Amino acid sequence: MERTLAQWLDYQQTVHPRTIDMGLERVGEVARRLGLGRPGRFVATVGGTNGKGSTVAFLEAIARAAGLRVGAYTSPHLLRYNERVRIDGAEASDAELVAAFERIEAARGEIPLTFFEFGTLAALMLFEAADLDLAILEVGLGGRLDATNLIDPDVAVITTVDLDHQDYLGDDRESIGAEKAGILRAGKPCVLGEKDPPSSVLRRAYAIGAFAIRGHSDYLVDDLGDHWRWREPGYEIELPEPALSAPAQRGNAAAAIAALRALGLPIPDEAIRAGVREARLPGRLQRLAGSPERVLDVAHNPQGARQLAAWLEAHPKPTVAVFSALADKDLGGIVAPVAPHLRAWHLGPITDAGPRGLPVDELARRLAEHLPAEILHPHRSLAEALAAAVVQAGPDGRVLVFGSFHTVAAALAEA
């Protein structure tokens, strides 16, 4: 019986007993059976704790402005699964995704695949058929054992390394960095966006002979007030402020520029300027029209929360939060940086994340370990939390929605 896309997505969550099962043996065997080749003439793989999606957006926008045919695979999505697979800026259709899933199902036999592995194989199939100049792959989790690592990239990008997903990647930056460095390849360039990347990442690059291009060292970002400069020996370019609004976005754009230059693709200066100016990505300090001001951000780990806190400090305004988080997140590490900037917290449950979802009463109990109980307001749904926050903020205040992709998606659905 033919399945719709929604039915396929429901089915995929029943095929493997675990939501996450890191490793390349199973998905690699299915890829071999499918006869998968290269997804594009050039491949860029983007890993890191935060900034992956934004860096992909800059890569995609700059390369498309230069006239290249580009595919971008990202995760998770906010409102539609189709957001995960874009070819020349257009989301993959239901029919294209369903046809890919049918081929994967026929090829896998008794091999169990996770939801993410189904999606990665589908994206690779669609990209291969699309005759791409550049395929951009965003790592789902870690790097070394992530399904995207089936493909040898021509350039790898590691945006940042910080604490997240410790159950899978390790308890410190060095352990996590070692996992993320698994996307590096011998003799190929790798862009390291942080000023001080973990030693484990550098050791891996040196050990395999990857050509490390380090932010703040091999390329520099100069603050020129209302614009900025990217430069390396023998080349520099002045750039507009990114449309993506966050303190980290210059760094993400800079890493994307470094990656494209490392590939040696024909990218005119005006294409770089246009891509930096025009790249868009929902849920990254995204403002919604109307009153009060509503800002959505997918910050869901301590590093993301610190970046969000820096933005709040630079843009002071009476702010109340709509917040929810998954059960395996470091709530204390997320709450501490932003708490001084928030007057109240309106909480809702995440109901579409399976066992990782957290009932709102349990969320409130855990948050009470870090915040005064009187500023915590649990609600039966995120929609109710948002409505209450809007009332409390008033027309001159701000509502900040953050804590998870699921939380932001719920707010976008209400917009």
Side-chain angles (χ1 to χ4, degrees):
M1 185 179 72
E2 292 187 1
R3 296 185 178 101
T4 65
L5 176 59
Q7 289 170 332
W8 268 109
L9 299 179
D10 288 341
Y11 167 72
Q12 289 169 18
Q13 298 185 67
T14 70
V15 170
H16 197 292
R18 295 168 60 186
T19 303
I20 299 171
D21 187 7
M22 298 173 68
L24 300 180
E25 290 184 7
R26 292 171 299 96
V27 69
E29 172 58 22
V30 179
R32 186 192 65 78
R33 294 179 186 181
L34 288 165
L36 279 184
R38 297 284 290 173
R41 278 181 281 281
F42 290 91
V43 177
T45 299
V46 181
T49 302
N50 290 298
K52 296 190 297 291
S54 297
T55 302
V56 169
F58 285 119
L59 282 166
E60 182 183 18
I62 294 169
R64 291 193 65 223
L68 301 178
R69 186 164 170 79
V70 183
Y73 173 55
T74 62
S75 63
H77 61 278
L78 283 171
L79 298 180
R80 298 174 306 280
Y81 183 89
N82 313 62
E83 297 167 19
R84 295 178 178 227
V85 184
R86 297 188 299 275
I87 296 174
D88 258 3
E91 296 175 1
S93 68
D94 287 12
E96 290 171 322
L97 290 165
V98 165
F101 292 149
E102 288 173 348
R103 282 188 58 196
I104 295 165
E105 180 69 3
R108 75 174 182 86
E110 298 302 313
I111 298 176
L113 295 175
T114 66
F115 183 87
F116 181 77
E117 290 165 345
F118 264 102
T120 302
L121 289 171
L124 295 175
M125 291 170 60
L126 293 175
F127 287 173
E128 184 182 1
D131 191 30
L132 299 177
D133 296 307
L134 175 64
I136 309 167
L137 308 178
E138 179 185 346
V139 172
L141 177 61
R144 181 176 65 93
L145 300 176
D146 188 79
T148 56
N149 208 30
L150 289 172
I151 304 300
D152 293 326
D154 298 290
V155 64
V157 180
I158 298 179
T159 55
T160 63
V161 178
D162 209 90
L163 300 182
D164 200 9
H165 300 293
Q166 289 97 309
D167 290 347
Y168 298 97
L169 304 181
D171 292 329
D172 54 53
R173 287 184 77 234
E174 292 298 328
S175 301
I176 294 170
E179 290 297 322
K180 295 188 183 299
I183 66 173
L184 276 53
R185 293 296 190 272
K188 299 291 186 179
C190 59
V191 176
L192 309 179
E194 284 186 296
K195 186 173 186 177
D196 185 23
S199 298
S200 57
V201 175
L202 297 172
R203 282 197 302 270
R204 176 65 178 169
Y206 300 148
I208 68 173
F211 174 41
I213 303 169
R214 296 180 60 175
H216 311 278
S217 176
D218 296 302
Y219 65 88
L220 300 175
V221 173
D222 300 323
D223 181 8
L224 303 178
D226 61 353
H227 65 295
W228 57 292
R229 180 191 296 116
W230 189 99
R231 61 185 171 98
E232 64 182 1
Y235 175 78
E236 63 180 50
I237 181 172
E238 292 192 11
L239 296 161
E241 279 299 311
L244 292 172
S245 175
Q249 294 300 359
R250 284 183 179 180
N252 293 329
I257 294 167
L260 290 168
R261 288 188 58 78
L263 288 175
L265 291 169
I267 309 290
D269 285 4
E270 190 46 48
I272 297 176
R273 295 188 184 97
V276 169
R277 185 171 56 244
E278 296 168 8
R280 299 289 191 277
L281 193 64
R284 277 70 171 182
L285 286 174
Q286 178 183 359
R287 291 180 176 87
L288 299 182
S291 178
E293 178 185 6
R294 286 171 293 167
V295 177
L296 317 181
D297 195 81
V298 296
H300 59 277
N301 54 44
Q303 185 185 52
R306 292 194 298 272
Q307 294 172 355
L308 178 57
W311 183 86
L312 288 167
E313 185 170 358
H315 299 83
K317 191 173 190 177
T319 303
V320 298
V322 173
F323 180 81
S324 196
L326 296 172
D328 53 3
K329 294 300 178 179
D330 176 5
L331 286 181
I334 295 172
V335 165
V338 295
H341 307 284
L342 301 174
R343 300 166 56 197
W345 297 64
H346 292 269
L347 314 176
I350 292 176
T351 58
D352 57 349
R356 297 179 72 202
L358 199 57
V360 70
D361 290 342
E362 176 62 14
L363 175 64
R365 186 192 68 77
R366 294 190 190 184
L367 284 176
E369 298 174 7
H370 309 284
L371 297 167
E374 60 268 20
I375 67 171
L376 301 176
H377 306 287
H379 300 273
R380 292 176 298 177
S381 69
L382 282 165
E384 285 189 11
L386 181 61
V390 165
V391 171
Q392 183 176 5
D396 299 323
R398 175 194 290 141
V399 174
L400 172 67
V401 182
F402 80 108
S404 170
F405 279 81
H406 299 271
T407 315
V408 169
L412 284 173
E414 293 294 315

